Amino acid sequence: MKMFRYAMRNKKFQEFLILTVVSCLVFSGCSRKEDRNSREESGQGGSTVGNGSAYTLDTKVADVISDPAFDGYGRLIFPVDRAIDEDLRLQDVEEILIWYNNVNPDRTVEIANYLKDHASSGEKIFYDIYTEEEKEEDPAKEDTGLFFFRGEPGAKTAIVNAGGGFSYVAAMHDSFPQALELSKMGYNAFALIYRPGAQTACEDLARAIAFLHENREELQIDTEDYSLWGGSAGARMAAWLGSYGTSAFGEDEYPAPAAVIMQYTGLSDVTGNEPPTYACVGTSDGIAPYNSMAAYIRRIQKNGTDAMIETFDGLRHGFGLVEGTAAEGWIDRAADFWERNTGE
């Protein structure tokens, strides 16, 4: 825990975060504009939906946020800490997901429709992790919670944490798609919406772990051998909770995860308490250098802990599920890694 606090105060660490923001903007901006123009030229998109209709590429983000099916939590589907133009459409959500690449508009529409369909059917898909009293004491906790992507009743549980540089939560690209795929495999997957800031984010993840353990019977989930997943800043959260535990962030001590699944983040500190760890990253990542991630994994392996890394040629930061490339299917291999480190 001392190492974590030191990293938060260290001047070089702060400078690294600033350089991260600048380099990411350089790497990501042009390609997004080109991709968007390509979609417009190809005529993709459809008419804006009304209540009860399916969302399309042309649906306004504002219409999803205000959809009555979501009963007031629709705003948390998209980053609450990013300005969202009232005319922004689902096909262009990448515009508000800075530092990310390979954003798939069709996947965005699929997720929005998944959430709407399940909410409209009366299924509870969003869970508060803080009490009303806690939210009154700290209004920022209003912008937290867990989206539930249901798998098989009684199946294992995964908590997925999106990145966003600890300044916003890029769930639509960096946790919702992964959680949905895990649910299709039969797992019960939760995507955490947390407060920006490294410390508060970790506190929210610790609370989420506690919430799921305390409510596992009601949720019909198996919390034994659960896993923590994350991309970029979300991967740091998963790694820190795996190494330091929930008690380091204000909760009772709960079991460590059976596995941590990390995408594109640069960590160097190895405590010796790391759970089995899978990592993946692109060779053209200007924010999380693949050689640094490889060194991190080697240090975990040296301690006798199961760990592995996949590197993908040419991929940049924040690639998500990255369908249609050589990296496609990494999530299946990560799930296999998790399974081999469970008690079964």
Side-chain angles (χ1 to χ4, degrees):
M1 190 59 188
K2 290 181 179 178
M3 295 169 69
F4 174 79
R5 289 173 177 164
Y6 173 77
M8 295 301 100
R9 296 194 303 264
N10 186 271
K11 183 177 180 181
K12 289 185 177 179
F13 178 79
Q14 295 169 0
E15 291 173 349
F16 167 76
L17 289 181
I18 294 171
L19 289 173
T20 289
V21 172
V22 174
S23 62
C24 197
L25 290 173
V26 172
F27 274 105
S28 62
C30 295
S31 63
R32 290 179 178 166
K33 184 176 181 180
E34 292 169 358
D35 291 344
R36 182 170 67 255
N37 291 340
S38 176
R39 290 198 304 274
E40 291 171 353
E41 291 170 3
S42 66
Q44 291 182 349
S47 59
T48 302
V49 304
N51 291 337
S53 302
Y55 300 134
T56 70
L57 290 169
D58 205 38
T59 299
K60 292 182 179 180
V61 169
D63 290 340
V64 179
I65 291 174
S66 62
D67 194 317
F70 298 126
D71 195 26
Y73 59 82
R75 63 193 174 81
L76 298 179
I77 297 173
F78 301 93
V80 295
D81 297 288
R82 297 282 295 153
I84 299 177
D85 188 278
E86 62 181 10
D87 293 322
L88 183 71
R89 300 178 188 276
L90 290 181
Q91 65 182 334
D92 296 319
V93 163
E94 60 190 342
E95 292 183 2
I96 58 173
L97 301 181
I98 58 172
W99 310 318
Y100 281 93
N101 293 282
N102 303 94
V103 178
N104 185 341
D106 292 325
R107 179 69 72 165
T108 299
V109 172
E110 178 190 11
I111 291 164
N113 279 314
Y114 170 93
L115 295 173
K116 178 180 173 65
D117 290 346
H118 285 262
S120 297
S121 70
E123 186 175 303
K124 189 173 177 62
I125 64 169
F126 179 78
Y127 291 83
D128 283 308
I129 57 175
Y130 290 107
T131 66
E132 292 303 317
E133 291 75 15
E134 288 172 319
K135 288 187 285 188
E136 286 181 8
E137 292 178 5
D138 183 357
K141 291 179 179 177
E142 291 281 356
D143 294 333
T144 64
L146 288 165
F147 282 92
F148 190 4
F149 293 76
R150 280 180 172 79
E152 297 295 329
K156 293 184 179 68
T157 301
I159 307 175
V160 191
N161 308 280
F166 291 120
S167 64
Y168 78 102
V169 182
M172 186 53 81
H173 175 66
D174 212 26
S175 62
F176 289 167
Q178 292 86 337
L180 179 57
E181 286 305 298
L182 288 169
S183 72
K184 291 177 181 179
M185 297 178 198
Y187 300 112
N188 290 301
F190 294 83
L192 175 64
I193 308 300
Y194 56 86
R195 292 169 291 166
Q199 180 68 32
T200 51
C202 288
E203 290 173 2
D204 292 343
L205 179 52
R207 171 56 66 93
I209 293 169
F211 176 86
L212 295 181
H213 278 82
E214 292 166 2
N215 294 280
R216 59 184 179 274
E217 292 185 4
E218 175 190 341
L219 295 167
Q220 295 185 288
I221 61 174
D222 180 5
T223 54
E224 186 176 357
D225 292 326
Y226 72 97
S227 58
L228 296 180
W229 300 59
S232 197
R236 287 175 177 267
M237 294 163 57
W240 284 330
L241 263 295
S243 296
Y244 296 107
T246 51
S247 63
F249 299 99
E251 298 295 327
D252 291 338
E253 188 65 53
Y254 287 89
V260 167
I261 311 298
M262 303 170 60
Q263 288 189 273
Y264 35 78
T265 198
L267 284 176
S268 58
D269 293 338
V270 173
T271 66
N273 296 320
E274 284 70 26
T277 302
Y278 166 97
C280 65
V281 63
T283 60
S284 296
D285 194 321
I287 295 172
Y290 72 94
N291 52 355
S292 294
M293 287 194 72
Y296 177 73
I297 292 299
R298 286 195 299 269
R299 293 180 66 191
I300 295 175
Q301 292 170 332
K302 189 175 181 180
N303 287 332
T305 301
D306 190 11
M308 66 173 287
I309 185 169
E310 292 191 273
T311 57
F312 305 122
D313 287 343
L315 286 183
R316 294 178 292 170
H317 191 74
F319 53 75
L321 287 181
V322 73
E323 296 97 336
T325 75
E328 185 170 2
W330 71 263
I331 193 168
D332 299 291
R333 296 185 291 276
D336 289 342
F337 177 88
W338 171 21
E339 284 288 352
R340 82 187 190 203
N341 284 287
T342 64
E344 296 182 358

mmCIF file of all heavy atoms in Angstrom, residues 205-230:
data_model
loop_
_atom_site.group_PDB
_atom_site.id
_atom_site.type_symbol
_atom_site.label_atom_id
_atom_site.label_comp_id
_atom_site.label_asym_id
_atom_site.label_seq_id
_atom_site.Cartn_x
_atom_site.Cartn_y
_atom_site.Cartn_z
ATOM 1 N N LEU A 205 -14.025 -0.070 -6.619
ATOM 2 C CA LEU A 205 -13.860 -1.472 -6.990
ATOM 3 C C LEU A 205 -13.878 -2.356 -5.748
ATOM 4 O O LEU A 205 -14.470 -3.451 -5.762
ATOM 5 C CB LEU A 205 -12.558 -1.657 -7.769
ATOM 6 C CG LEU A 205 -12.244 -3.099 -8.195
ATOM 7 C CD1 LEU A 205 -13.407 -3.739 -8.937
ATOM 8 C CD2 LEU A 205 -10.973 -3.130 -9.050
ATOM 9 N N ALA A 206 -13.244 -1.901 -4.674
ATOM 10 C CA ALA A 206 -13.287 -2.664 -3.423
ATOM 11 C C ALA A 206 -14.721 -2.806 -2.932
ATOM 12 O O ALA A 206 -15.141 -3.889 -2.486
ATOM 13 C CB ALA A 206 -12.425 -1.981 -2.361
ATOM 14 N N ARG A 207 -15.496 -1.729 -3.028
ATOM 15 C CA ARG A 207 -16.905 -1.795 -2.624
ATOM 16 C C ARG A 207 -17.681 -2.748 -3.535
ATOM 17 O O ARG A 207 -18.543 -3.497 -3.067
ATOM 18 C CB ARG A 207 -17.523 -0.402 -2.639
ATOM 19 C CG ARG A 207 -19.050 -0.383 -2.442
ATOM 20 C CD ARG A 207 -19.504 -1.091 -1.163
ATOM 21 N NE ARG A 207 -19.060 -0.430 0.032
ATOM 22 C CZ ARG A 207 -19.768 0.482 0.696
ATOM 23 N NH1 ARG A 207 -20.970 0.845 0.258
ATOM 24 N NH2 ARG A 207 -19.290 1.017 1.795
ATOM 25 N N ALA A 208 -17.391 -2.717 -4.819
ATOM 26 C CA ALA A 208 -18.080 -3.607 -5.757
ATOM 27 C C ALA A 208 -17.806 -5.074 -5.402
ATOM 28 O O ALA A 208 -18.719 -5.911 -5.428
ATOM 29 C CB ALA A 208 -17.640 -3.306 -7.182
ATOM 30 N N ILE A 209 -16.561 -5.384 -5.073
ATOM 31 C CA ILE A 209 -16.217 -6.755 -4.686
ATOM 32 C C ILE A 209 -16.995 -7.146 -3.431
ATOM 33 O O ILE A 209 -17.556 -8.247 -3.341
ATOM 34 C CB ILE A 209 -14.699 -6.874 -4.449
ATOM 35 C CG1 ILE A 209 -13.943 -6.684 -5.771
ATOM 36 C CG2 ILE A 209 -14.344 -8.230 -3.822
ATOM 37 C CD1 ILE A 209 -12.441 -6.517 -5.614
ATOM 38 N N ALA A 210 -17.043 -6.230 -2.461
ATOM 39 C CA ALA A 210 -17.789 -6.493 -1.233
ATOM 40 C C ALA A 210 -19.278 -6.677 -1.532
ATOM 41 O O ALA A 210 -19.922 -7.602 -1.012
ATOM 42 C CB ALA A 210 -17.584 -5.344 -0.246
ATOM 43 N N PHE A 211 -19.830 -5.808 -2.376
ATOM 44 C CA PHE A 211 -21.259 -5.870 -2.720
ATOM 45 C C PHE A 211 -21.613 -7.219 -3.339
ATOM 46 O O PHE A 211 -22.634 -7.826 -2.982
ATOM 47 C CB PHE A 211 -21.600 -4.736 -3.690
ATOM 48 C CG PHE A 211 -23.017 -4.754 -4.184
ATOM 49 C CD1 PHE A 211 -24.025 -4.139 -3.461
ATOM 50 C CD2 PHE A 211 -23.352 -5.400 -5.370
ATOM 51 C CE1 PHE A 211 -25.343 -4.161 -3.909
ATOM 52 C CE2 PHE A 211 -24.656 -5.428 -5.830
ATOM 53 C CZ PHE A 211 -25.663 -4.800 -5.091
ATOM 54 N N LEU A 212 -20.800 -7.696 -4.252
ATOM 55 C CA LEU A 212 -21.105 -8.954 -4.920
ATOM 56 C C LEU A 212 -21.000 -10.135 -3.964
ATOM 57 O O LEU A 212 -21.818 -11.067 -4.025
ATOM 58 C CB LEU A 212 -20.191 -9.147 -6.123
ATOM 59 C CG LEU A 212 -20.374 -8.117 -7.244
ATOM 60 C CD1 LEU A 212 -19.426 -8.409 -8.401
ATOM 61 C CD2 LEU A 212 -21.818 -8.083 -7.736
ATOM 62 N N HIS A 213 -20.018 -10.110 -3.090
ATOM 63 C CA HIS A 213 -19.911 -11.190 -2.108
ATOM 64 C C HIS A 213 -21.100 -11.184 -1.151
ATOM 65 O O HIS A 213 -21.622 -12.253 -0.794
ATOM 66 C CB HIS A 213 -18.601 -11.066 -1.314
ATOM 67 C CG HIS A 213 -17.419 -11.647 -2.022
ATOM 68 N ND1 HIS A 213 -16.722 -10.955 -2.997
ATOM 69 C CD2 HIS A 213 -16.804 -12.859 -1.905
ATOM 70 C CE1 HIS A 213 -15.726 -11.711 -3.443
ATOM 71 N NE2 HIS A 213 -15.752 -12.862 -2.802
ATOM 72 N N GLU A 214 -21.524 -9.994 -0.757
ATOM 73 C CA GLU A 214 -22.616 -9.884 0.207
ATOM 74 C C GLU A 214 -23.974 -10.215 -0.405
ATOM 75 O O GLU A 214 -24.917 -10.576 0.314
ATOM 76 C CB GLU A 214 -22.639 -8.472 0.791
ATOM 77 C CG GLU A 214 -21.433 -8.158 1.666
ATOM 78 C CD GLU A 214 -21.294 -6.664 1.954
ATOM 79 O OE1 GLU A 214 -22.170 -5.897 1.501
ATOM 80 O OE2 GLU A 214 -20.307 -6.280 2.601
ATOM 81 N N ASN A 215 -24.096 -10.094 -1.718
ATOM 82 C CA ASN A 215 -25.395 -10.285 -2.378
ATOM 83 C C ASN A 215 -25.379 -11.429 -3.396
ATOM 84 O O ASN A 215 -26.217 -11.484 -4.286
ATOM 85 C CB ASN A 215 -25.806 -8.985 -3.082
ATOM 86 C CG ASN A 215 -26.075 -7.856 -2.117
ATOM 87 O OD1 ASN A 215 -27.138 -7.766 -1.523
ATOM 88 N ND2 ASN A 215 -25.076 -6.991 -1.938
ATOM 89 N N ARG A 216 -24.438 -12.343 -3.235
ATOM 90 C CA ARG A 216 -24.283 -13.398 -4.237
ATOM 91 C C ARG A 216 -25.508 -14.304 -4.352
ATOM 92 O O ARG A 216 -25.824 -14.773 -5.460
ATOM 93 C CB ARG A 216 -23.034 -14.218 -3.960
ATOM 94 C CG ARG A 216 -22.980 -14.906 -2.600
ATOM 95 C CD ARG A 216 -21.641 -15.616 -2.403
ATOM 96 N NE ARG A 216 -21.533 -16.260 -1.105
ATOM 97 C CZ ARG A 216 -21.115 -15.649 0.000
ATOM 98 N NH1 ARG A 216 -20.779 -14.366 -0.051
ATOM 99 N NH2 ARG A 216 -21.039 -16.291 1.147
ATOM 100 N N GLU A 217 -26.193 -14.569 -3.259
ATOM 101 C CA GLU A 217 -27.367 -15.446 -3.334
ATOM 102 C C GLU A 217 -28.498 -14.772 -4.105
ATOM 103 O O GLU A 217 -29.134 -15.392 -4.967
ATOM 104 C CB GLU A 217 -27.816 -15.838 -1.925
ATOM 105 C CG GLU A 217 -26.833 -16.742 -1.202
ATOM 106 C CD GLU A 217 -27.355 -17.203 0.139
ATOM 107 O OE1 GLU A 217 -28.529 -16.880 0.468
ATOM 108 O OE2 GLU A 217 -26.597 -17.872 0.866
ATOM 109 N N GLU A 218 -28.763 -13.504 -3.809
ATOM 110 C CA GLU A 218 -29.809 -12.769 -4.517
ATOM 111 C C GLU A 218 -29.484 -12.643 -6.001
ATOM 112 O O GLU A 218 -30.364 -12.768 -6.860
ATOM 113 C CB GLU A 218 -29.973 -11.373 -3.912
ATOM 114 C CG GLU A 218 -30.952 -10.481 -4.660
ATOM 115 C CD GLU A 218 -30.904 -9.042 -4.194
ATOM 116 O OE1 GLU A 218 -30.403 -8.798 -3.085
ATOM 117 O OE2 GLU A 218 -31.349 -8.159 -4.953
ATOM 118 N N LEU A 219 -28.212 -12.423 -6.315
ATOM 119 C CA LEU A 219 -27.790 -12.244 -7.701
ATOM 120 C C LEU A 219 -27.624 -13.568 -8.435
ATOM 121 O O LEU A 219 -27.480 -13.577 -9.661
ATOM 122 C CB LEU A 219 -26.468 -11.476 -7.739
ATOM 123 C CG LEU A 219 -26.517 -10.039 -7.225
ATOM 124 C CD1 LEU A 219 -25.111 -9.493 -7.019
ATOM 125 C CD2 LEU A 219 -27.292 -9.158 -8.187
ATOM 126 N N GLN A 220 -27.602 -14.675 -7.699
ATOM 127 C CA GLN A 220 -27.415 -16.012 -8.272
ATOM 128 C C GLN A 220 -26.069 -16.116 -9.006
ATOM 129 O O GLN A 220 -25.999 -16.513 -10.161
ATOM 130 C CB GLN A 220 -28.565 -16.386 -9.211
ATOM 131 C CG GLN A 220 -29.913 -16.526 -8.509
ATOM 132 C CD GLN A 220 -30.995 -17.003 -9.451
ATOM 133 O OE1 GLN A 220 -31.450 -16.259 -10.324
ATOM 134 N NE2 GLN A 220 -31.414 -18.244 -9.298
ATOM 135 N N ILE A 221 -25.028 -15.723 -8.291
ATOM 136 C CA ILE A 221 -23.689 -15.757 -8.855
ATOM 137 C C ILE A 221 -22.759 -16.524 -7.929
ATOM 138 O O ILE A 221 -23.015 -16.654 -6.732
ATOM 139 C CB ILE A 221 -23.122 -14.337 -9.076
ATOM 140 C CG1 ILE A 221 -23.021 -13.587 -7.748
ATOM 141 C CG2 ILE A 221 -23.974 -13.568 -10.080
ATOM 142 C CD1 ILE A 221 -22.339 -12.223 -7.832
ATOM 143 N N ASP A 222 -21.672 -17.044 -8.490
ATOM 144 C CA ASP A 222 -20.628 -17.707 -7.728
ATOM 145 C C ASP A 222 -19.456 -16.744 -7.603
ATOM 146 O O ASP A 222 -18.822 -16.403 -8.606
ATOM 147 C CB ASP A 222 -20.211 -18.990 -8.449
ATOM 148 C CG ASP A 222 -19.117 -19.749 -7.711
ATOM 149 O OD1 ASP A 222 -18.736 -19.333 -6.595
ATOM 150 O OD2 ASP A 222 -18.628 -20.755 -8.265
ATOM 151 N N THR A 223 -19.172 -16.277 -6.409
ATOM 152 C CA THR A 223 -18.067 -15.336 -6.208
ATOM 153 C C THR A 223 -16.752 -16.033 -5.869
ATOM 154 O O THR A 223 -15.708 -15.378 -5.796
ATOM 155 C CB THR A 223 -18.404 -14.321 -5.099
ATOM 156 O OG1 THR A 223 -18.774 -15.035 -3.908
ATOM 157 C CG2 THR A 223 -19.534 -13.404 -5.527
ATOM 158 N N GLU A 224 -16.780 -17.344 -5.668
ATOM 159 C CA GLU A 224 -15.536 -18.071 -5.457
ATOM 160 C C GLU A 224 -14.759 -18.079 -6.771
ATOM 161 O O GLU A 224 -15.324 -18.291 -7.842
ATOM 162 C CB GLU A 224 -15.818 -19.498 -5.002
ATOM 163 C CG GLU A 224 -14.569 -20.270 -4.614
ATOM 164 C CD GLU A 224 -14.891 -21.649 -4.064
ATOM 165 O OE1 GLU A 224 -16.084 -21.973 -3.932
ATOM 166 O OE2 GLU A 224 -13.938 -22.389 -3.775
ATOM 167 N N ASP A 225 -13.483 -17.837 -6.697
ATOM 168 C CA ASP A 225 -12.639 -17.805 -7.898
ATOM 169 C C ASP A 225 -13.105 -16.742 -8.900
ATOM 170 O O ASP A 225 -13.026 -16.945 -10.120
ATOM 171 C CB ASP A 225 -12.602 -19.172 -8.582
ATOM 172 C CG ASP A 225 -11.881 -20.217 -7.749
ATOM 173 O OD1 ASP A 225 -10.925 -19.843 -7.046
ATOM 174 O OD2 ASP A 225 -12.268 -21.397 -7.793
ATOM 175 N N TYR A 226 -13.567 -15.613 -8.395
ATOM 176 C CA TYR A 226 -13.946 -14.511 -9.292
ATOM 177 C C TYR A 226 -12.704 -13.935 -9.963
ATOM 178 O O TYR A 226 -11.560 -14.195 -9.548
ATOM 179 C CB TYR A 226 -14.700 -13.421 -8.526
ATOM 180 C CG TYR A 226 -13.852 -12.590 -7.587
ATOM 181 C CD1 TYR A 226 -13.351 -11.349 -7.969
ATOM 182 C CD2 TYR A 226 -13.557 -13.035 -6.295
ATOM 183 C CE1 TYR A 226 -12.570 -10.577 -7.105
ATOM 184 C CE2 TYR A 226 -12.789 -12.285 -5.427
ATOM 185 C CZ TYR A 226 -12.290 -11.061 -5.835
ATOM 186 O OH TYR A 226 -11.516 -10.309 -4.985
ATOM 187 N N SER A 227 -12.908 -13.155 -11.001
ATOM 188 C CA SER A 227 -11.785 -12.542 -11.714
ATOM 189 C C SER A 227 -11.994 -11.046 -11.837
ATOM 190 O O SER A 227 -13.133 -10.551 -11.840
ATOM 191 C CB SER A 227 -11.622 -13.160 -13.108
ATOM 192 O OG SER A 227 -12.804 -13.004 -13.880
ATOM 193 N N LEU A 228 -10.892 -10.322 -11.946
ATOM 194 C CA LEU A 228 -10.917 -8.881 -12.171
ATOM 195 C C LEU A 228 -10.314 -8.588 -13.536
ATOM 196 O O LEU A 228 -9.205 -9.051 -13.850
ATOM 197 C CB LEU A 228 -10.113 -8.147 -11.086
ATOM 198 C CG LEU A 228 -10.640 -8.244 -9.659
ATOM 199 C CD1 LEU A 228 -9.726 -7.453 -8.706
ATOM 200 C CD2 LEU A 228 -12.068 -7.720 -9.553
ATOM 201 N N TRP A 229 -11.024 -7.816 -14.343
ATOM 202 C CA TRP A 229 -10.610 -7.471 -15.696
ATOM 203 C C TRP A 229 -10.496 -5.959 -15.807
ATOM 204 O O TRP A 229 -11.192 -5.219 -15.120
ATOM 205 C CB TRP A 229 -11.630 -7.958 -16.719
ATOM 206 C CG TRP A 229 -11.870 -9.437 -16.753
ATOM 207 C CD1 TRP A 229 -12.302 -10.228 -15.728
ATOM 208 C CD2 TRP A 229 -11.696 -10.311 -17.878
ATOM 209 N NE1 TRP A 229 -12.409 -11.532 -16.130
ATOM 210 C CE2 TRP A 229 -12.047 -11.615 -17.456
ATOM 211 C CE3 TRP A 229 -11.292 -10.111 -19.193
ATOM 212 C CZ2 TRP A 229 -12.001 -12.714 -18.314
ATOM 213 C CZ3 TRP A 229 -11.247 -11.213 -20.046
ATOM 214 C CH2 TRP A 229 -11.593 -12.499 -19.610
ATOM 215 N N GLY A 230 -9.647 -5.499 -16.720
ATOM 216 C CA GLY A 230 -9.567 -4.057 -16.925
ATOM 217 C C GLY A 230 -8.670 -3.683 -18.083
ATOM 218 O O GLY A 230 -7.755 -4.425 -18.455
#
